[in-house]
Amino acid sequence: MAGLRIVAVIAIGVATLAPLIGGEGLGREIYSGLNLHNNIKIYVGAIPACLLAILADIVLGMLQNKLKRRNQ
């Protein structure tokens, strides 16, 4: 289960690279902000992506603990 938590967080981080290959998502705001030297646009993309990764880790951590207790 720990591996799935790691994969989920890494997948969210890698998804921010989608604009480099023509994709959409929160990474679009990050790269737009980098190109325009606009810190607000960078934060508009980076903060939600960070919160999404943290939320995924917390939810999967709770599931991991629930499964661990059930197997004992």
Side-chain angles (χ1 to χ4, degrees):
M1 190 65 194
L4 290 177
R5 288 173 66 185
I6 293 169
V7 167
V9 172
I10 290 174
I12 293 167
V14 170
T16 61
L17 299 174
L20 294 176
I21 58 170
E24 295 289 325
L26 295 172
R28 185 185 65 215
E29 293 298 322
I30 295 171
Y31 288 105
S32 174
L34 288 172
N35 288 332
L36 298 173
H37 302 290
N38 184 343
N39 289 338
I40 301 300
K41 286 191 90 147
I42 295 170
Y43 294 141
V44 165
I47 291 173
C50 178
L51 292 175
L52 185 62
I54 291 170
L55 180 67
D57 187 51
I58 289 171
V59 169
L60 290 173
M62 289 172 24
L63 180 63
Q64 180 180 3
N65 288 335
K66 192 175 199 179
L67 290 173
K68 188 186 303 184
R69 283 190 218 124
R70 194 174 82 173
N71 289 334
Q72 289 179 352

